[in-house]
Amino acid sequence: MIFLSHNRNSLGEAAALARGRIAPNIYDTIAFAMLVALLVLLAHGAAGMRAPSTLLTTSPVTLGLANLPDYALRTTLRMFAAIIVSLIFTFTVATLAAKSRRAEMVIIPVLDILQSVPVLGFLTFTVTFFMGLFPGSQLGAECAAIFAIFTSQAWNMAFSFYQSLRTVPGDLDEVSRGFGLSAWQRFWRLEAPFAAPGLVWNTMMSMSGGWFFVVASEAITVGNTTVQLPGIGSWLALAIDKQDFKAVAWAVLAMGVLILLYDQLLFRPVVAWADKFRFEQTAGQEKPRSWVYDILRRARLLRTVGLPIAWLWQRAMLLRLGRRTPPATTVASRRFSRLLDFAWLGLVLLVALWGGIETVLYLGQTLGWNDVIEAFSGGLLTLLRVIVLIAVASVIWVPIGVWIGLRPAVAERVQPLAQFLAAFPANVLFPFAVIAIVATGASPGIWLSPLMVLGTQWYILFNVIAGASAFPSDLKEAARVFKIRSWSWWKNVMLPGIFPYYITGALTASGGSWNASIVAELASWGNTRLEAFGLGSYIAKATEAGDFPRVILGIAVMSLFVTLFNRTLWRPLYVFAERRMRLD
């Protein structure tokens, strides 16, 4: 009887302990409240997106302060919809480029071209298409705006993920193959975790890059088509048109609040979670922290509810999709593979040649050599501005990014500020730039150029911070032991360590600068317009006038300049970083 009683007591204690582990606690209450608030906001914003398109004219965007919270919600939902699509694009297209040599021949040049195509260039051809898909509904205009924001986010994330997949340490890859992991298992257990820190920082940068073009994405004017979606971008466009400084200030304040909120509620927890994927051989000294991440980890009921998802994920990781090891190659198979490469390259060149000929024939019907000379002359001036701004941004932000990245506690405080500065639309500075240039009689061709820095420097800063954050602690400790300091430390330790990340940032900064030229070379404040001669202002004027031949010519010239610039400078540096600067 004593034994049975003891057993009952033990079982009762075990049951009580189990109930205590799954019973809701205060952290569950907080997490549940946050989840309910998120679902309510999503439902409210989605209802507005599905409203009839007639509301855009019967209830146009106004500068009433009571409307600003709803506009902020609508803009934020568009941003996150675009970032989700960008992540799907990144995991498919960038992975295919990194894994397949033949796919890489097509994907990387196409990404080079697409990142150079301005947001206005995409809007010129997509607005009518999306609005035709959803006649009578705002969803068509919403899809056009989301797609435009996607085009300002996806390329940076794809290049970052591609670079990380190509620089996975060779010894870790050999170990994964030694354990017999399939291609599917190797991707999710090694390659994606290795790329996670860099991808997280570039996702934050892409989110900020979307804010930079939010005015062009929400206040759409293409020829005779004018669409103003409720949002902060449309609010800003209307405030600038009416010369309302107070409304501009309210929009900037709303942006700051939104960036702070999603930094605390989303990006800070993701940074803290992704820190465990850092490539380390010794324990890190400092780790990023997040109060939201701590709440989610301590929530008992939430963790219990997530067990089925965790179980499904573990089962998925047991799938053996793809080859464990590369197939053995023979002389005949290598020759056949080389022939396939030449055939594939020839096909790609033929398609590109056909596209070029068709473009020339189309433009030749309406344009002359004077238009071509004007576009190329503007392209040369814009290229000069891009080169100068990238050089200046590199000199300024590489040392600052390394200093921040090596100090997680500092990065934690600087992160929301950097996101806000990166998201700051150039349009907000137009009033001050236009007023100052008109008052001083300065040259717009020179003094409008600094506005392009807003689309350039942050790609470099965020990638350098990501590289310095992911730099292994054991290498830092070795440098301290051997007393490597000053310029020798930069030359032999840190610069080689962050070089692949810097190249990714500089490459996407180049595309960001070309895009920024669209809004920076043609500035307005009320009825005052200033123009800096360049390819950006050429495309902006053609888009505003609905002149499709000149829009196509401008985009073609911009794509040509960016592709040649990337192929002659950034791609060779990319290959050098992949072969000589990877951690092995």
Side-chain angles (χ1 to χ4, degrees):
M1 293 295 292
I2 294 174
F3 177 74
L4 289 174
S5 177
H6 177 71
N7 264 355
R8 288 194 189 97
N9 290 337
S10 299
L11 289 173
E13 292 174 0
L17 183 60
R19 283 194 301 271
R21 288 178 177 175
I22 64 174
N25 56 17
I26 184 62
Y27 300 106
D28 284 296
T29 305
I30 298 173
F32 180 75
M34 292 167 57
L35 181 60
V36 169
L38 177 62
L39 292 176
V40 170
L41 291 174
L42 282 174
H44 178 70
M49 289 182 173
R50 296 195 307 269
S53 58
T54 53
L55 287 178
L56 296 178
T57 53
T58 58
S59 301
V61 175
T62 63
L63 298 181
L65 196 57
N67 296 327
L68 190 55
D70 186 58
Y71 292 171
L73 173 63
R74 296 283 292 274
T75 296
T76 305
L77 290 182
R78 293 182 194 113
M79 301 282 290
F80 277 103
I83 211 74
I84 291 171
V85 177
S86 298
L87 283 171
I88 296 172
F89 176 87
T90 295
F91 274 95
T92 52
V93 175
T95 302
L96 185 60
K99 298 292 183 180
S100 171
R101 186 174 65 256
R102 296 186 186 100
E104 181 187 25
M105 293 179 186
V106 178
I107 291 173
I108 298 305
V110 168
L111 288 181
D112 284 339
I113 293 172
L114 288 177
Q115 74 160 343
S116 67
V117 177
V119 171
L120 290 179
F122 287 108
L123 284 173
T124 302
F125 303 101
T126 57
V127 170
T128 305
F129 169 75
F130 281 114
M131 294 185 72
L133 285 180
F134 304 96
S137 172
Q138 290 187 31
L139 201 55
E142 292 285 353
C143 288
I146 291 170
F147 181 79
I149 297 171
F150 160 82
T151 61
S152 66
Q153 295 175 340
W155 326 130
N156 175 51
M157 296 164 61
F159 277 122
S160 168
F161 200 65
Y162 167 79
Q163 172 259 322
S164 297
L165 293 182
R166 295 299 298 265
T167 56
V168 172
D171 51 352
L172 294 184
D173 187 62
E174 290 175 8
V175 169
S176 68
R177 296 180 188 275
F179 278 107
L181 298 183
S182 65
W184 168 263
Q185 293 170 322
R186 196 161 56 248
F187 177 80
W188 289 111
R189 294 189 180 275
L190 171 62
E191 295 165 344
F194 177 79
L199 180 60
V200 168
W201 278 96
N202 277 280
T203 301
M204 290 190 289
M205 178 63 239
S206 293
M207 190 73 175
S208 298
W211 278 107
F212 188 86
F213 291 104
V214 74
V215 173
S217 303
E218 293 180 350
I220 305 169
T221 301
V222 179
N224 296 325
T225 303
T226 300
V227 178
Q228 276 199 327
L229 290 169
I232 292 182
S234 297
W235 172 291
L236 265 175
L238 185 60
I240 290 171
D241 186 57
K242 292 187 174 183
Q243 298 181 317
D244 190 337
F245 276 109
K246 186 177 179 181
V248 170
W250 278 115
V252 173
L253 178 62
M255 282 178 50
V257 172
L258 285 173
I259 291 169
L260 182 63
L261 284 175
Y262 68 64
D263 172 73
Q264 290 292 318
L265 299 177
L266 177 64
F267 285 126
R268 187 74 60 82
V270 172
V271 168
W273 168 80
D275 185 70
K276 63 183 178 182
F277 298 124
R278 289 177 60 186
F279 177 60
E280 295 280 16
Q281 295 179 351
T282 61
Q285 297 177 351
E286 294 181 275
K287 293 185 179 295
R289 297 169 298 171
S290 165
W291 60 272
V292 174
Y293 185 58
D294 291 338
I295 287 174
L296 296 177
R297 291 179 61 190
R298 295 171 182 173
R300 296 172 184 168
L301 185 59
L302 194 65
R303 186 168 59 247
T304 304
V305 171
L307 287 178
I309 300 175
W311 182 86
L312 288 174
W313 179 252
Q314 291 299 325
R315 300 285 77 75
M317 288 298 98
L318 296 178
L319 296 176
R320 309 194 66 79
L321 304 175
R323 296 189 181 98
R324 299 186 190 181
T325 56
T329 58
T330 62
V331 175
S333 65
R334 285 197 296 270
R335 287 178 180 172
F336 181 70
S337 177
R338 197 175 297 115
L339 285 174
L340 282 180
D341 287 344
F342 282 120
W344 177 251
L345 182 60
L347 178 62
V348 171
L349 291 176
L350 282 175
V351 172
L353 181 62
W354 172 80
I357 292 174
E358 288 295 320
T359 302
V360 170
L361 291 176
Y362 172 73
L363 296 177
Q365 297 174 0
T366 54
L367 302 180
W369 284 108
N370 289 335
D371 298 293
V372 176
I373 293 173
E374 182 183 1
F376 270 89
S377 301
L380 287 173
L381 273 177
T382 302
L383 175 64
L384 179 62
R385 294 185 182 111
V386 169
I387 293 174
V388 171
L389 291 172
I390 288 178
V392 171
S394 299
V395 171
I396 294 173
W397 293 114
V398 167
I400 295 176
V402 168
W403 185 82
I404 294 172
L406 293 179
R407 295 162 177 82
V410 176
E412 186 177 317
R413 292 190 291 269
V414 169
Q415 181 179 317
L417 176 61
Q419 286 188 71
F420 174 75
L421 293 175
F424 201 82
N427 309 64
V428 176
L429 296 180
F430 284 178
F432 306 101
V434 171
I435 292 171
I437 291 173
V438 170
T440 59
S443 170
I446 296 175
W447 295 105
L448 283 179
S449 299
L451 295 176
M452 291 171 59
V453 173
L454 296 175
T456 300
Q457 57 191 351
W458 310 113
Y459 291 101
I460 296 173
L461 175 64
F462 273 67
N463 276 277
V464 171
I465 290 175
S469 300
F471 195 83
S473 296
D474 52 339
L475 296 185
K476 290 186 285 187
E477 292 173 5
R480 280 195 293 267
V481 168
F482 287 103
K483 297 182 179 179
I484 302 177
R485 299 187 180 92
S486 189
W487 171 242
S488 181
W489 180 82
W490 282 99
K491 179 182 177 183
N492 299 310
V493 179
M494 187 48 61
L495 289 180
I498 66 168
F499 192 71
Y501 294 87
Y502 167 75
I503 293 300
T504 299
L507 178 65
T508 49
S510 175
S513 297
W514 286 98
N515 264 296
S517 69
I518 305 297
V519 294
E521 291 181 349
L522 190 63
S524 63
W525 176 240
N527 296 323
T528 305
R529 287 166 61 95
L530 293 179
E531 178 185 343
F533 179 70
L535 192 54
S537 58
Y538 180 89
I539 296 174
K541 290 188 298 182
T543 302
E544 186 177 345
D547 190 343
F548 294 109
R550 284 182 173 78
V551 171
I552 294 175
L553 175 62
I555 292 173
V557 171
M558 185 174 284
S559 300
L560 179 63
F561 270 98
V562 172
T563 303
L564 291 177
F565 188 51
N566 289 350
R567 288 288 150 182
T568 55
L569 178 63
W570 299 123
R571 284 300 152 197
L573 290 176
Y574 227 123
V575 174
F576 177 76
E578 178 186 331
R579 294 179 178 176
R580 300 291 300 274
M581 301 294 181
R582 65 193 297 173
L583 293 169
D584 278 324

